[in-house]
């Protein structure tokens, strides 16, 4: 039987899920417990779908070893050992455990991965067997409907999401339910959708096993299951892979090129309440003769502000290889592999695609009275390391955009600013030179941006502690360097705007 059609545990037995949760916690089957048992190398090897180090670390017969072998490593474990840790009767009856080949052994029917919530919550993410970590290639399975667990993309999106309390949230393409689980912490009502009914079943298990409230689960494509309903928060880690055909539901959207991501973003605008955010991970084509930034701008729905960050670009060969490996195709017949690779490059050739960008798209529908007729759309490339979670950084980014929109240059000069926390100045130049060639301001938090400034900019930022207005600071600097204060007031607002936009300066009292 294929993995994607194997029977799943009953999702109607909340009592059994609660019993299982209790037993898992009692044995310290948590993210911290796992790290302590396995050690960092074996723990991180698991994330690369490498199980040998973890198998070696779980040769003992303690309760935690038993649970790791059952739920993460898909081993069969003798009945007596399982019974010492888990309520075997109810778990077998409701389908979490089944008899394994061999005398009196048991095995798990799904993967269960401990996952630490942002406030130290002990959660559990359920997924198909062999799919808790890594891609489908980890299980060597080509099952169309397999439901994966947590991947790098899942945690990136969870970290990016603005976590202010809201009434309603939508997780589109919920998979294992990880985004719905996060949303359940700060949204009164959570709706989770998926094209794959198996994913909805698994999401229900994830929520129950994590002790979270049930979500409104709806089957269907894109926004079809929710109609015109609007939400305060929309999140989606969609099947964004640009591929020559729909093969794996969790990653291949089945629409041409990057059409699925474009449709999602375009259709989200009218489904956002005022003040609401929509966060997407996406892939986009870099098409010959077209600026990728313009392609992305054209996706932004009317009336929404947007912040789009390209994190990585891969040429088409790297891209095809990445996803061929994800599906485990590199382990199949070499001719079949070559044919699939060829088909991928054919697809890109037809679409005149030269490279593929990967990144984050955030939309924000301005709250009533805050926005203007001209929304702000920022499209930028930032491939450097950032500090996750970034949700608060994202919220502040849009708040500063509101501030800048509402303040012309005169108002900006009358404003007061503070230097953001943990910004340092770096002077770059030849060793021994008296003056630096240029000065860089660098953030150690959030986006960890760096920006070049002139000496006035650096001096200005250094003085900003919120007490003097920007104009007064510039007048003092003008006196110090012997420059005309009127000219300085004239030329500096653009630099102040940039420093505010990028989060080096924070408007005081805004
Ligand atoms: C990359 S997985 C993301 C899973 C999960 N939300 C996460 O963050 O890890 C994409 C999910 O979208 C679902 N999906 C695929 N095509 C879809 C469509 N047209 N409409 C809605 N969901 C879809 C897949 O079944 C899969 O569960």
């Amino acid at each position: 039987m294929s993995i994607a059609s194997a029977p799943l545990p009953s999702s109607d037995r909340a009592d059994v899920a609660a019993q299982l949760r209790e037993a898992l916690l009692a044995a310290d089957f948590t993210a911290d417990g796992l790290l302590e048992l396995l050690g960092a190398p074996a723990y991180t090897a698991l994330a690369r779908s490498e199980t040998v180090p973890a198998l070696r670390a779980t040769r003992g017969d303690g309760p935690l070893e038993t649970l790791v072998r059952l739920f993460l490593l898909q081993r069969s474990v003798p009945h007596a050992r399982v019974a010492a840790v888990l309520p075997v009767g109810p778990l077998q009856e409701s389908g979490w455990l089944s008899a394994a080949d061999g005398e009196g052994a048991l095995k798990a029917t799904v993967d269960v991965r401990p996952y630490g919530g942002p406030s130290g919550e002990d959660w559990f993410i359920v997924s198909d067997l062999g799919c808790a970590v890594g891609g489908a290639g980890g299980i060597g399975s080509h099952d169309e409907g397999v439901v994966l667990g947590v991947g790098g993309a899942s945690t990136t999106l969870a970290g990016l999401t603005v976590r202010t309390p809201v009434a309603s949230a939508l997780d589109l393409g919920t998979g294992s339910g990880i985004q719905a689980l996060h949303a359940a912490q700060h949204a009164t009502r959570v709706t989770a959708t998926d094209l794959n009914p198996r994913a909805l079943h698994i999401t229900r298990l994830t929520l129950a096993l994590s002790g979270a409230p049930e979500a409104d689960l709806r089957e269907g494509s894109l926004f079809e299951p929710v109609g015109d309903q609007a939400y305060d928060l929309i999140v989606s880690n969609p099947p964004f892979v640009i591929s020559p055909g729909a093969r794996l539901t969790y990653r291949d959207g089945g629409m041409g090129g990057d059409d699925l991501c474009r449709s999602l973003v375009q259709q989200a605008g009218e489904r956002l309440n005022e003040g609401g955010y929509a966060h997407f991970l996406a892939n986009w084509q870099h098409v010959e003769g077209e600026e990728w930034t313009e392609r992305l701008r054209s996706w932004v729905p009317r009336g929404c502000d947007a912040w789009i960050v390209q994190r990585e670009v891969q040429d088409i060969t790297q891209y095809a290889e990445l996803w061929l490996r994800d599906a485990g195709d590199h382990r199949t017949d070499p001719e079949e592999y070559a044919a699939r690779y060829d088909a991928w490059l054919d697809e890109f050739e037809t679409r005149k695609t030269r490279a593929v960008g990967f990144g984050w798209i955030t939309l924000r529908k301005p709250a009533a009275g805050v926005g203007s007729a001209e929304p702000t759309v920022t499209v930028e490339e930032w491939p450097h390391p950032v500090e996750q979670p970034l949700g608060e950084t994202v919220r502040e980014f849009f708040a500063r955009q509101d501030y800048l929109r509402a303040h012309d240059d005169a108002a900006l000069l009358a404003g007061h600013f503070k230097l953001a926390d943990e910004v340092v100045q770096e002077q770059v130049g030849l060793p021994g030179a008296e003056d630096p060639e240029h000065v860089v301001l660098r953030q150690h938090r959030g986006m960890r941006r760096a920006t070049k400034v002139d000496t006035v900019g650096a001096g200005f930022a250094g003085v900003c502690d919120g007490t003097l207005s920007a104009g007064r600071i510039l007048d003092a600097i003008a006196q110090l360097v012997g420059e005309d204060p009127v000219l300085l007031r004239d030329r500096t607002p653009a630099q102040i705007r940039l420093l505010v936009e990028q989060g080096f300066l924070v408007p005081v009292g805004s």
Side-chain angles (χ1 to χ4, degrees):
M1 188 185 311
S2 77
I3 288 174
S5 55
L8 290 168
S10 162
S11 62
D12 294 330
R13 295 293 305 271
D15 56 328
V16 178
Q19 270 181 287
L20 176 55
R21 172 175 172 76
E22 219 170 283
L24 297 179
L25 292 176
D28 209 14
F29 187 63
T30 60
D32 289 345
L34 206 59
L35 182 59
E36 194 167 321
L37 173 75
L38 301 182
Y43 185 81
T44 44
L46 265 185
R48 302 190 298 271
S49 302
E50 295 294 350
T51 51
V52 173
L55 279 168
R56 293 172 63 85
T58 54
R59 285 182 290 201
D61 57 4
L64 189 51
E65 281 96 333
T66 298
L67 294 177
V68 173
R69 286 197 157 233
L70 264 180
F71 288 119
L72 272 181
L73 303 173
Q74 304 97 46
R75 299 290 132 161
S76 32
V77 179
H79 190 288
R81 264 185 67 183
V82 182
V85 197
L86 295 173
V88 169
L91 289 180
Q92 241 187 308
E93 196 191 309
S94 59
W96 287 93
L97 297 176
S98 66
D101 297 339
E103 198 78 350
L106 291 169
K107 60 182 184 183
T109 54
V110 283
D111 270 14
V112 175
R113 175 183 167 172
Y115 177 76
S119 307
E121 298 93 343
D122 288 315
W123 290 338
F124 300 99
I125 307 296
V126 180
S127 63
D128 265 320
L129 277 182
C131 296
V133 288
I139 48 171
S141 157
H142 296 157
D143 286 0
E144 187 189 332
V146 288
V147 178
L148 256 53
V150 181
S154 326
T155 50
T156 297
L157 178 64
L160 279 179
T161 303
V162 172
R163 298 287 174 200
T164 44
V166 290
S168 58
L170 170 67
D171 171 18
L172 195 153
T174 190
S176 65
I178 176 177
Q179 311 300 339
L181 178 58
H182 275 277
Q185 311 308 303
H186 63 108
T188 315
R189 294 185 309 282
V190 176
T191 304
T193 70
D194 208 291
L195 188 64
N196 183 357
R198 193 171 176 85
L200 296 175
H201 189 126
I202 284 184
T203 291
R204 202 158 174 224
L205 298 174
T206 290
L207 294 174
L209 198 55
S210 299
E214 285 197 28
D216 175 5
L217 302 173
R218 302 195 189 183
E219 184 184 331
S221 182
L222 301 178
F223 288 103
E224 177 265 320
V226 297
D228 294 333
Q229 183 68 44
Y231 296 86
D232 300 323
L233 174 69
I234 298 174
V235 291
S236 186
N237 168 14
F240 50 66
V241 178
I242 300 170
S243 49
R247 222 176 122 213
L248 292 164
T249 314
Y250 73 84
R251 59 164 227 199
D252 303 315
M255 291 168 83
D258 49 20
D259 277 359
L260 185 132
C261 290
R262 179 182 52 76
S263 306
L264 253 184
V265 176
Q266 285 179 337
Q267 292 174 25
E270 58 201 24
R271 291 175 176 85
L272 265 187
N273 287 328
E274 282 177 355
Y277 289 88
H279 301 275
F280 305 97
L281 295 187
N283 279 188
W284 44 81
Q285 298 169 124
H286 285 223
V287 177
E288 196 176 296
E290 181 188 87
E291 274 298 323
W292 69 269
T293 50
E294 289 312 309
R295 182 179 192 84
L296 271 288
R297 276 179 192 283
S298 75
W299 290 9
V300 177
R302 277 161 66 105
C304 284
D305 297 315
W307 183 20
I308 300 174
V309 183
Q310 178 166 277
R311 295 286 293 158
E312 193 184 347
V313 186
Q314 292 195 333
D315 71 45
I316 50 174
T317 60
Q318 291 171 309
Y319 190 80
E321 288 161 27
L322 172 72
W323 296 109
L324 285 164
R325 281 177 177 275
D326 169 82
D329 289 332
H330 57 304
R331 288 197 228 102
T332 60
D333 168 47
E335 275 188 29
E336 195 182 321
Y337 176 80
R340 286 193 192 280
Y341 197 153
D342 216 23
W344 220 303
L345 296 185
D346 274 349
E347 170 76 8
F348 283 139
E349 199 170 272
T350 313
R351 296 184 177 279
K352 296 192 162 67
T353 305
R354 293 284 164 261
V356 178
F358 175 94
W360 318 325
I361 298 178
T362 300
L363 303 178
R364 197 272 310 249
K365 174 122 3 129
V370 172
S372 70
E374 266 315 304
T376 329
V377 176
T378 306
V379 185
E380 62 173 319
E381 182 153 27
W382 187 252
H384 308 292
V386 297
E387 185 195 38
Q388 280 273 32
L390 274 171
E392 194 48 20
T393 301
V394 173
R395 193 193 62 73
E396 288 168 356
F397 174 86
F398 286 100
R400 291 193 308 272
Q401 292 285 358
D402 289 342
Y403 175 90
L404 290 173
R405 232 180 343 208
H407 291 73
D408 61 14
D409 286 357
L412 206 64
L413 290 173
H416 294 237
F417 301 91
K418 271 180 94 161
L419 187 64
D421 290 340
E422 297 191 44
V423 170
V424 295
Q425 172 179 307
E426 291 170 1
Q427 304 203 348
V428 182
L430 283 175
E434 212 163 281
D435 293 317
E437 260 167 46
H438 58 257
V439 176
V440 170
L441 296 184
R442 186 179 295 281
Q443 301 165 347
H444 282 278
R445 312 305 307 258
M447 290 293 281
R448 294 194 170 134
R449 291 183 189 278
T451 191
K452 255 197 231 178
V453 283
D454 61 18
T455 43
V456 170
F460 178 85
V463 178
C464 279
D465 63 0
T467 47
L468 291 178
S469 71
R472 293 279 300 282
I473 296 175
L474 287 182
D475 292 345
I477 293 177
Q479 208 171 26
L480 212 66
V481 298
E483 195 173 332
D484 181 345
V486 177
L487 287 181
L488 198 62
R489 275 177 174 254
D490 218 35
R491 74 172 167 89
T492 316
Q495 197 169 177
I496 300 178
R497 267 182 201 283
L498 191 79
L499 291 176
V500 173
E501 183 181 322
Q502 298 200 340
F504 290 93
L505 295 178
V506 183
V508 174
S510 62

